Structure formats: C-alpha cells, structure tokens
Amino acid sequence: MDAKELLDLVSGGENSRVQLKENVTNATSVAQEIVAFANSKGGKLIIGVNDKTGDIVGLSFADLQRINNMLTTAANEHVKSAIVIDTETVDVDGKKVIVAHVPEGNDKPHTDKDGLIFIKNGSDKRKVTSKEELSRMLQSSGNLYAEQMLIRESSIKDLDWGLFREFYEKKYQEDIALEDFQAKVENLTLGAEGKINLAGNLLFGKNPQRLSPNCYIAAIWFQGNDLAGTKYLSSENIGGDMPRMFKDARKFVIGCLRKVQNGKDFNSLGDLEVPEIVINELLINALIHRDYFVHDSIKVFVFDNRIEIKSPGKLPNSLTTEQIKAGLSRRRNHILASYALDLLPYRGAGSGILRALQAWPAIEFHNFPETEQFNVIIHRPAHETQL
C-alpha cells in the first residue's frame, strides 16, 4: 500500500472494514479487534492515525517494533483459532503508519483468550451473545448445520413410519421391518440417540410444525400491488412435510394466476401466465436452501403485478445473485438436498434458477445480508384487469 492509498482509506473514516488507532498498548484489546474483523468480512487495522480527526500522527521506530510484536502475539496467542495477519509500514510525508491486514476467518467463530466472541458492527464491534447468531457463524464455517441438529423433545415416534417405509422400499428396493425403523433412520442421518433431527422432521415428520413451528410457508394473495395493503383475496399458512408444503404452495400460487390463450383454440384451457416450471423451481429453491437457523417462515406473496418469495437467510458462503444467475450453487442443507432428488421435482447442481430464467427472464433476485433474507420477485405480464 502506498501513501495515496492509505490517505484515501483514512479520508473515508472508520467503517466495518477499516479501524483507525492513534496507538495501541494492550494486546487483549488488539486481539478483540482482530477477532471482530475475522468473524466478519476481514479488514484493516491502521495504527498511527487519529481516529477522531483522521490526522496522520505517525509512530516512532520503537513504537513500530513494539506494535508489530504485539500484533503478532495477539493474532497467535490471544485469538482462538489463531489468525495469520499481514502487516506493513507506510510512510506518509515522513510519518510511519502500520497497516495490519486481517483476513476473514475460516474457522468461525474466533474468540479472544477469554472465550468472548466479537463481530464488527459498523465502525465499532460488539459481543455475540445470541445462540442463533452463533449458530449461523458456525454454519458459515462448515462446523454446524441446522438440518443435522437433534430436536430435543422429539423421538422416533414423531416420524411417519408408513411414509418412511414407502420411501425406503422404493429407493433401496428392499423391505424394511418396524423393528429396524430407528436404526435405518439413524443410518440415513435423519436422527441419533433415539431423537430425530430437523431434516428428518421436515421430510418424514407426522406433524413437522409441532416440533419446528417456524418451518412453514405463509402465503397471501393481495389485492393490488402494495405490501402494506389491508385487502387480500386469500391467505394460508401452509404446513406439513416438505413435499406437502411444496405441493400446497404450488397449488396456492397457480390458483392466483391467470390462464392466457397464447393463440390456442378458444375451447382450450390456455397456458399459465407464468410458466409452471418457474413456480416449481423457485418454491423448491426456497424450501431446500433457506437458512433454518433463522426462526422465520418462508413468505409467498402474490400481487397483481408480481409474485414474491421471501426466504429466511442470506445467500451462503459469500455467494452473489450474479453467481446464482450463472448457475453457481453452494449447498447449505446437504441432507435436504439429497433427499429432495427422490421426493421433489428437483435436480440440484444449481440448475433450477437457470431453468426458471430460461423459461421466464422477468425474475429479480435480491440478497439482504443485514436482515438475513433472500427475495425473489417474479414479474407477472401486464393485463388490464385482475380476476
């Protein structure tokens, strides 16, 4: 980094990726800054700059030696798991400034030596105390998956034996006895220790919403185009196992849409105004790939001019909307995705969104990391009246 680059950074002030310090004397507080950056998106700790005015104060030779040693000690001994940082000295008109480059951590959550977890909160940092937030951090580093978490108050009896047997015998072409039920469930990563996990509950549960009350689809057919509108034509909370939720949500959306002739005979049924494959692919995408650590329902809103599908959770692992439109995918829920190949019209491999776009290009994708939400907007064709 040269002096101009440094001055450009400093002139922008502190933010979630830049922290300014005039001097540092405490390895513990430095470690907490490193932890906050590592648990977020990484950043730069710039030392030798007044954080109130942005003036370059500079550091003496002794300070440069002491602070570089402190940064190394903090990153290696006061941060768990340790972080490898890069430091450099930048000369600005004869004044020396240290820039410490902290990467995003790959073993989140990182903690300080006392086990405290920090993340960036704008230009400041804050402690992480929420179990949900901690779970999402573990998930992002591949150390925890919501679908694998055992449901404490559950038992094998919460699974539908008939439904599971039908699936198993069709999939594996062999009979299964009731006395083997629990062993098969555990072998297929749907439970352990006599309990079922979230995936097992959503795929084969007798009453999935009793054990996982936020795992449903809230569907509303609005009159007009305003989300804040008070008039709606129909609404339904759609529950059941995952195949049932897909089937009922699909039926709800299709029931809100018009049929168009598209040049067909007058007596024909006509075509759905939005291709059915679009509804199928995007509903399946929401059910399989949503973040189940976020305790909220999937929302399906039908307006006169659009359909909105709101999924809890941002895109995983720094995935972008442009990448998913190009067919790139990163699975968040591996168990659900693997079973969906047999239980839903799902092919995987990131091809669903591509198929939807090929059939109907008028689709928008919006990722909201701050509010932990991913939205899809399917634009309906213009028409004069809404039936």
Side-chain angles (χ1 to χ4, degrees), residues 23 26 49 70 75 85 90 117 150 171 178 189 199 240 258 265 273 275 289 316 370 373:
N23 208 325
N26 188 301
V49 179
M70 182 186 297
I85 64 173
V90 181
I117 303 169
L150 296 177
K171 171 76 173 176
L178 181 58
T189 64
R258 291 158 41 102
D265 182 81
E273 62 175 294
H289 300 302
E370 298 81 6
Q373 188 167 276

Side-chain angles (χ1 to χ4, degrees), residues 37-142:
F37 277 132
N39 284 334
S40 302
K41 295 294 183 181
K44 295 175 174 60
L45 179 59
I46 301 175
I47 305 168
V49 179
N50 187 299
D51 60 333
K52 300 293 192 297
T53 65
D55 293 336
I56 305 298
V57 178
L59 300 167
S60 67
F61 180 80
D63 281 336
L64 292 175
Q65 296 294 98
R66 175 182 58 81
I67 292 171
N68 270 298
N69 289 334
M70 182 186 297
L71 287 167
T72 302
T73 299
N76 290 337
E77 299 178 14
H78 293 251
V79 176
K80 310 296 180 185
S81 300
I83 291 287
V84 177
I85 64 173
D86 290 326
T87 64
E88 61 177 317
T89 301
V90 181
D91 188 302
V92 182
D93 295 329
K95 297 179 180 179
K96 309 293 185 182
V97 174
I98 290 176
V99 181
H101 301 267
V102 183
E104 180 175 358
N106 56 15
D107 191 25
K108 299 178 184 178
H110 296 272
T111 72
D112 70 1
K113 64 182 179 60
D114 297 317
L116 298 177
I117 303 169
F118 295 88
I119 62 170
K120 293 298 291 182
N121 184 28
S123 61
D124 207 344
K125 65 181 183 296
R126 64 174 176 83
K127 290 181 186 178
V128 172
T129 56
S130 162
K131 290 182 179 179
E132 287 183 25
E133 191 170 25
L134 177 57
S135 296
R136 289 198 294 273
M137 293 175 70
L138 285 164
Q139 182 188 47
S140 71
S141 61

Side-chain angles (χ1 to χ4, degrees), residues 3 48 80 119 149 193 251 258 284 332 343 372 375:
K80 310 296 180 185
I119 62 170
M149 295 186 69
E193 303 169 5
K251 180 180 178 181
R258 291 158 41 102
I284 289 172
R332 174 184 274 129
L343 297 172
E372 292 287 342
N375 293 355

Side-chain angles (χ1 to χ4, degrees), residues 56-337:
I56 305 298
V57 178
L59 300 167
S60 67
F61 180 80
D63 281 336
L64 292 175
Q65 296 294 98
R66 175 182 58 81
I67 292 171
N68 270 298
N69 289 334
M70 182 186 297
L71 287 167
T72 302
T73 299
N76 290 337
E77 299 178 14
H78 293 251
V79 176
K80 310 296 180 185
S81 300
I83 291 287
V84 177
I85 64 173
D86 290 326
T87 64
E88 61 177 317
T89 301
V90 181
D91 188 302
V92 182
D93 295 329
K95 297 179 180 179
K96 309 293 185 182
V97 174
I98 290 176
V99 181
H101 301 267
V102 183
E104 180 175 358
N106 56 15
D107 191 25
K108 299 178 184 178
H110 296 272
T111 72
D112 70 1
K113 64 182 179 60
D114 297 317
L116 298 177
I117 303 169
F118 295 88
I119 62 170
K120 293 298 291 182
N121 184 28
S123 61
D124 207 344
K125 65 181 183 296
R126 64 174 176 83
K127 290 181 186 178
V128 172
T129 56
S130 162
K131 290 182 179 179
E132 287 183 25
E133 191 170 25
L134 177 57
S135 296
R136 289 198 294 273
M137 293 175 70
L138 285 164
Q139 182 188 47
S140 71
S141 61
N143 292 321
L144 182 67
Y145 296 94
E147 60 178 354
Q148 295 179 349
M149 295 186 69
L150 296 177
I151 301 174
R152 185 175 55 184
E153 62 272 26
S154 71
S155 76
I156 199 72
K157 295 180 180 179
D158 289 304
L159 293 186
D160 187 319
W161 157 244
L163 192 64
F164 180 82
R165 181 178 61 183
E166 179 184 359
F167 162 80
Y168 186 90
E169 293 182 351
K170 181 179 179 181
K171 171 76 173 176
Y172 299 103
Q173 297 295 300
E174 64 179 40
D175 294 338
I176 178 176
L178 181 58
E179 56 265 29
D180 297 325
F181 187 22
Q182 180 172 328
K184 296 297 185 184
V185 165
E186 296 185 0
N187 287 343
L188 294 176
T189 64
L190 298 173
E193 303 169 5
K195 301 183 183 301
I196 63 173
N197 59 26
L198 179 66
N201 186 41
L202 291 177
L203 294 168
F204 302 107
K206 291 179 181 176
N207 183 3
Q209 284 67 45
R210 182 182 71 82
L211 296 174
S212 307
N214 295 295
C215 298
Y216 68 96
I217 299 175
I220 303 176
W221 181 8
F222 286 90
Q223 182 174 329
N225 297 317
D226 188 359
L227 179 61
T230 58
K231 293 183 179 180
Y232 61 89
L233 302 174
S234 180
S235 70
E236 185 177 347
N237 285 339
I238 298 169
D241 57 44
M242 186 172 285
R244 170 60 61 183
M245 283 193 283
F246 165 70
K247 181 180 177 181
D248 289 350
R250 176 181 170 276
K251 180 180 178 181
F252 180 93
V253 174
I254 289 175
C256 301
L257 301 181
R258 291 158 41 102
K259 296 284 182 68
V260 293
Q261 258 186 291
N262 282 341
K264 292 187 176 182
D265 182 81
F266 178 78
N267 293 318
S268 70
L269 294 176
D271 298 325
L272 205 61
E273 62 175 294
V274 174
E276 195 169 317
I277 189 174
V278 175
I279 309 303
N280 291 352
E281 295 291 353
L282 296 177
L283 284 174
I284 289 172
N285 186 77
L287 285 165
I288 294 176
H289 300 302
R290 63 155 287 181
D291 187 343
Y292 284 98
F293 278 125
V294 179
H295 293 173
D296 197 3
S297 62
I298 295 170
K299 310 289 192 303
V300 175
F301 298 153
V302 182
F303 300 91
D304 286 358
N305 65 356
R306 68 193 188 279
I307 305 159
E308 293 191 18
I309 302 175
K310 301 174 181 285
S311 300
K314 62 187 177 183
L315 289 174
N317 301 326
S318 302
L319 202 61
T320 68
T321 56
E322 291 305 312
Q323 288 173 328
I324 64 171
K325 287 162 64 178
L328 185 65
S329 67
R330 291 177 185 144
R331 288 183 179 180
R332 174 184 274 129
N333 303 308
H334 296 263
I335 300 173
L336 293 176

